[in-house]
Amino acid sequence: MKRIRITIQGAVQGVGFRPFVYRLARELALTGSVANTVEGVITEVQGSGEAVADFTKRVVADAPPVARITSVTIEELAVEPDETGFVIRSSEDSRQKTVTVLPDLATCPDCRAEILDQRDRRYGYAFTNCTNCGPRFSIINDIPYDRPNTEMRTFTMCPDCQREYHQPADRRFHAQPNACPICGPQLSLEDGSPIAGGKEISRAAVLLREGRILALKGLGGYQLLCDARNEAAVIRLRERKRREEKPLALMFPDLDMIHRFCLVNVEEERLLQSFAAPIVLLSRREDAGLAPSIAPGNPNLGVMLPYTPLHHLLMVGLDFPVVCTSGNLHDEPIAIINEEAQAKLGSIADAFLSHNRPIARHMDDSVVRRTRQGTQYFRRARGYAPLPLRHQREMPNILAVGAHYKNTIAISFGNQTILSQHIGDLSTPEAHRAFARVVEDLPRLYDFNPELVACDLHPDFLSTQYAEGLGLPLVRVQHHHAHVAAVMAEHGLDGPVLGLAWDGTGLGTDDTVWGGECLLCERGSFERIAWLDTFPLGGGDVAIQEPRRSALGLLHRADLEADFPHGFAEHELALVRQALEKGINAPLTSSVGRLFDGVAALLGLRQVTTFEGQSAMTLEFAAAGRLGEAYPFEVDNTINWRPMLGAILKDRDRGVAVSDIAAHFHSTLVEVMVAVARRADVKQVALSGGCFQNRLLYEGGAARLEEAGFTVLLPRELPPNDGAIAAGQAWVTAYN
Ligand code: ZN
Ligand code: ZN
Ligand code: FE
């Protein structure tokens, strides 16, 4: 006889782990117990040495598909001679909360089959879930993950649901959000006309077919839907939402239909059908019959599959894709509360498909894409948050508040960093409130008290000001240093690492605006060994929305003259020129993002943008997915782009196709990476910053650096953009 205790850590709660352990123990005729604790799942088993050994192996090998085990600890215990049977203990509440909260999980095939089966008691039921799927992070109010600690606490299970919940052999054994049409949350449709109960979804489908805009209460907030083939409807949605040109995401009824509209490879299929069910960026097929204003001038589409029963039930009745975008005005955070949504979205939506299950916290749809180097995350929210980054080192208790754009926050403790869901740009009062909510919510959930706080250098960021107000030891981390540190955190590296941090904007240590940085990073510090030669931005921050100002700054710095269709009135142009000449209200920048802007403007592609990164995307798309030949440039302490600019203008003026110039431009930057890396004489090169959302720079740069003998470190699960800044701030601060 033998008795052991096994502690299993990771994402092991809310995934059917205890029932699985129960069944396994019974099968092997073991006695003992299993419990969810704040440290993870703890099980004690007793039986023959052989059965116990078998159990130890299979508890990991046969674990439920959505579980992610990060550690297994085994201790030998004294045999308890009187024990009979195996029990599931109710969760206990003690000690440090190290357990992993699971992200929301897309509807599993079994649940999907049930809601579409007329003979099933959950036929047509929009809140069906089981231990393998359903809401998690979006309904959890406290740890451990038990029903009273979720937004399901007010719904009392009916006898049938109770039976499933207590029956170890059932797929819903201890499924905390278990519900059915008798006892669970209910739908409501508000479109001004009374409808019979049970017809909400079919009526909503009719409205979509008629070209109306539907606000739907999803998993992590309200979404706005309309027929993706109906140009008038899409334009109406854009006008009402005040979203001019930024691409809109689509939801398709099924994978087959995605294939009709997009090119999809096996890995992309796997991502679309994964438990995270993110928006996947795919190459679109030409002339697929979609409304032109969904993603104007963009060869890609952001595409997802239904991921809740409500989405499945709605989409199964449609034979076309729908626009499915965050329920918000402009770039505000997604609305989650019914009344708030009515107030905010009332002027956008023609009807509301809502329900009475509260949402614990906002959660946007995540955005990913496949590259030659693996999956790249653009926005990490539903389906991924709050899965932690695991470290080999012990982290002090750190709260990192992130930057300004694409804000996320992070908390570090023990051997992990937990990154919040995407919050967004902290530009509006609503975004400020969302930030304040998350920065309270995440620490509270984990019973976490910070000892150190990390923020950006920029004194004007709301996040910085919040950090300053906490009265705790504060570490200010330079923006691009944080970009590189985020990659080092993911790879668990002390350095030295050469980080190429290329993005739009970040405050430097010398009060100029950085964004084309080559930083030698080791442990918690960095040395700026090279940067993009600076140029002035006439008018300052307004240049972010006006690429033509970058173009004028580049020309000024290079002492070149060139005409381009900037669209400035004469007096405006005079003002910009004056600012550049006198160096007043013309801050210097080393930003690669602004270099993209300037070149795009000079090539006549884009003078004024309506969303962040638009002109850089236009220039990338102009290159049509290929690199060319590098233009001349020089690298010492600075990256001298002036020879390149001269060559670009020469090519332009002698009529070389814009697509060729764009390809050469990208190649130049790829060669710059190699030249900088050679000069730095470091083996490991990390790529980070918003510019690496550009596929040519990311794939081309990584491939070319590898070819030149460098080890390339890329972001793994963190985005290359500012969504990773908080994690990088925490990593740097941990060396303090
Ligand atoms: Zn399920
Ligand atoms: Zn029920
Ligand atoms: Fe950045």
Side-chain angles (χ1 to χ4, degrees):
M1 288 288 274
K2 198 174 171 188
R3 181 181 190 83
I4 56 166
R5 176 191 292 140
I6 309 182
T7 306
I8 301 155
Q9 290 190 319
V12 289
Q13 296 188 357
V15 296
F17 210 90
R18 282 180 301 171
F20 152 70
V21 169
Y22 178 91
R23 285 192 295 269
L24 185 60
R26 296 276 295 242
E27 186 191 322
L28 297 170
L30 296 165
T31 62
S33 65
V34 59
N36 264 347
T37 76
V38 289
E39 290 167 287
V41 168
I42 296 184
T43 177
E44 294 188 11
V45 290
Q46 174 171 314
S48 73
E50 198 183 332
V52 168
D54 225 12
F55 180 88
T56 315
K57 255 183 256 141
R58 288 177 57 189
V59 78
V60 175
D62 301 344
V66 288
R68 293 202 195 181
I69 297 173
T70 54
S71 84
V72 177
T73 333
I74 300 174
E75 301 161 71
E76 195 136 351
L77 303 177
V79 170
E80 289 184 13
D82 300 333
E83 188 176 72
T84 58
F86 191 92
V87 294
I88 296 178
R89 288 196 205 288
S90 57
S91 304
E92 58 180 73
D93 210 330
S94 70
R95 288 178 282 181
Q96 169 100 50
K97 297 184 175 181
T98 57
V99 76
T100 303
V101 175
L102 267 198
D104 298 312
L105 303 168
T107 309
C108 74
D110 291 337
C111 286
R112 183 172 188 275
E114 286 174 353
I115 59 173
L116 300 177
D117 176 0
Q118 295 204 21
R119 293 156 308 175
D120 195 278
R121 73 187 192 94
R122 288 190 174 81
Y123 175 62
Y125 185 55
F127 304 92
T128 301
N129 64 83
C130 72
T131 46
N132 298 321
C133 77
R136 300 289 186 270
F137 193 39
S138 67
I139 59 165
I140 292 175
N141 292 310
D142 206 354
I143 297 171
Y145 174 61
D146 277 332
R147 192 169 174 111
N149 288 337
T150 72
E151 294 293 354
M152 286 300 291
R153 66 187 178 279
T154 55
F155 299 94
T156 309
M157 274 186 271
C158 70
D160 284 342
C161 288
Q162 282 277 0
R163 199 171 315 122
E164 294 164 340
Y165 185 88
H166 290 295
Q167 174 56 252
D170 198 280
R171 208 172 85 245
R172 298 195 165 87
F173 179 62
H174 284 226
Q176 304 304 337
N178 189 25
C180 78
I182 307 291
C183 65
Q186 299 297 323
L187 285 175
S188 58
L189 181 78
E190 286 159 54
D191 71 331
S193 61
I195 52 153
K199 295 264 182 271
E200 292 86 0
I201 295 174
S202 50
R203 173 81 186 128
V206 169
L207 292 171
L208 284 172
R209 213 177 272 283
E210 286 173 357
R212 310 284 195 88
I213 296 168
L214 179 70
L216 176 145
K217 187 175 181 180
L219 210 44
Y222 277 81
Q223 296 169 313
L224 291 163
L225 277 61
C226 74
D227 182 346
R229 305 163 307 175
N230 185 331
E231 176 70 357
V234 177
I235 287 177
R236 202 155 55 240
L237 175 60
R238 282 200 180 276
E239 281 170 1
R240 292 184 187 172
K241 196 174 138 80
R242 289 194 281 125
R243 177 158 165 147
E244 290 162 76
E245 294 167 297
K246 197 172 175 182
L248 295 164
L250 304 180
M251 183 176 277
F252 282 73
D254 55 44
L255 197 55
D256 282 349
M257 202 187 291
I258 296 181
H259 278 283
R260 299 218 311 265
F261 288 82
C262 303
L263 302 167
V264 199
N265 66 31
V266 178
E267 278 95 23
E268 289 162 341
E269 279 187 2
R270 199 172 300 144
L271 277 170
L272 287 162
Q273 295 176 302
S274 67
F275 284 109
I279 295 171
V280 182
L281 298 183
L282 301 173
S283 300
R284 67 206 279 176
R285 290 182 190 277
E286 303 251 332
D287 198 25
L290 290 174
S293 52
I294 283 176
N298 195 320
N300 305 319
L301 286 175
V303 166
M304 65 185 142
L305 284 170
Y307 54 84
T308 69
L310 178 55
H311 290 112
H312 279 291
L313 291 165
L314 180 65
M315 298 304 292
V316 84
L318 301 176
D319 48 5
F320 55 88
V322 297
V323 169
C324 185
T325 183
S326 304
N328 55 13
L329 268 175
H330 203 53
D331 278 332
E332 289 174 1
I334 188 167
I336 60 171
I337 299 164
N338 293 19
E339 296 73 32
E340 174 199 352
Q342 296 278 357
K344 288 259 164 198
L345 309 179
S347 57
I348 304 177
D350 299 309
F352 279 77
L353 183 54
S354 191
H355 60 75
N356 60 347
R357 187 180 75 203
I359 297 171
R361 57 187 60 74
H362 87 274
M363 202 85 56
D364 289 275
D365 292 316
S366 295
V367 183
V368 305
R369 81 160 166 215
R370 285 297 295 184
T371 70
R372 275 193 271 152
Q373 285 78 15
T375 302
Q376 199 182 18
Y377 295 74
F378 284 8
R379 184 163 77 196
R380 207 170 164 276
R382 177 186 56 76
Y384 299 114
L387 288 176
L389 286 187
R390 298 276 172 189
H391 310 305
Q392 296 299 323
R393 66 197 273 216
E394 244 347 81
M395 304 286 280
N397 281 19
I398 300 167
L399 168 66
V401 296
H404 176 82
Y405 289 106
K406 298 186 166 66
N407 181 270
T408 59
I409 64 146
I411 57 176
S412 297
F413 55 90
N415 64 347
Q416 60 185 339
T417 296
I418 295 172
L419 198 65
S420 77
Q421 72 274 35
H422 167 86
I423 301 169
D425 300 351
L426 303 182
S427 309
T428 61
E430 285 75 14
H432 292 191
R433 278 198 290 278
F435 170 84
R437 270 200 303 269
V438 175
V439 83
E440 307 273 303
D441 173 57
L442 197 64
R444 187 196 51 75
L445 190 58
Y446 289 88
D447 252 347
F448 165 88
N449 289 307
E451 295 154 10
L452 292 165
V453 181
C455 67
D456 197 88
L457 278 187
H458 205 304
D460 301 337
F461 286 175
L462 171 95
S463 54
T464 305
Q465 288 165 1
Y466 177 90
E468 286 168 344
L470 290 174
L472 289 164
L474 189 62
V475 177
R476 296 173 199 268
V477 182
Q478 199 281 324
H479 185 92
H480 302 94
H481 185 205
H483 267 304
V484 181
V487 181
M488 292 167 75
E490 284 199 89
H491 293 261
L493 296 174
D494 286 331
V497 164
L498 172 67
L500 303 182
W502 292 3
D503 66 357
T505 302
L507 182 61
T509 52
D510 60 357
D511 279 344
T512 65
V513 181
W514 290 10
E517 310 313 309
C518 311
L519 309 178
L520 195 56
C521 299
E522 188 160 10
R523 298 175 60 82
S525 57
F526 75 95
E527 184 194 344
R528 189 190 191 206
I529 59 165
W531 57 90
L532 192 76
D533 190 19
T534 57
F535 56 98
L537 293 174
D541 277 349
V542 64
I544 296 173
Q545 286 89 43
E546 297 189 16
R548 56 191 180 176
R549 288 174 190 266
S550 290
L552 292 170
L554 291 171
L555 293 173
H556 177 85
R557 174 73 179 90
D559 241 334
L560 288 165
E561 298 264 346
D563 280 334
F564 66 102
H566 48 70
F568 274 122
E570 222 163 286
H571 68 280
E572 291 174 314
L573 186 62
L575 275 176
V576 182
R577 289 234 158 98
Q578 202 178 28
L580 294 174
E581 258 140 47
K582 297 197 169 153
I584 296 166
N585 194 19
L588 294 176
T589 187
S590 54
S591 163
V592 174
R594 296 292 90 79
L595 177 67
F596 265 89
D597 282 356
V599 171
L602 289 168
L603 294 178
L605 293 171
R606 197 85 218 177
Q607 306 304 326
V608 176
T609 61
T610 61
F611 63 90
E612 196 212 347
Q614 186 179 21
S615 68
M617 277 168 61
T618 311
L619 190 50
E620 178 188 352
F621 299 152
R626 76 219 151 85
L627 292 169
E629 283 162 43
Y631 286 120
F633 63 89
E634 290 153 16
V635 167
D636 44 48
N637 273 347
T638 60
I639 299 160
N640 181 359
W641 43 264
R642 279 164 286 158
M644 174 189 76
L645 192 72
I648 286 176
L649 291 172
K650 212 173 276 168
D651 270 359
R652 185 196 74 163
D653 293 341
R654 61 186 184 93
V656 174
V658 167
S659 69
D660 290 337
I661 300 176
H664 301 327
F665 170 72
H666 281 86
S667 286
T668 315
L669 290 180
V670 166
E671 292 310 319
V672 164
M673 291 183 212
V674 178
V676 171
R678 286 203 171 119
R679 249 190 108 251
D681 196 25
V682 176
K683 184 105 186 60
Q684 294 180 308
V685 183
L687 304 184
S688 180
C691 290
F692 291 103
Q693 295 174 125
N694 181 310
R695 190 189 277 272
L696 288 171
L697 283 194
Y698 184 79
E699 292 184 339
R704 186 69 186 83
L705 283 164
E706 296 254 335
E707 192 186 293
F710 296 95
T711 304
V712 182
L713 308 169
L714 299 169
R716 284 178 178 154
E717 290 182 32
L718 298 179
N721 59 45
D722 287 3
I725 290 292
Q729 290 172 342
W731 187 254
V732 169
T733 301
Y735 287 102
N736 235 66

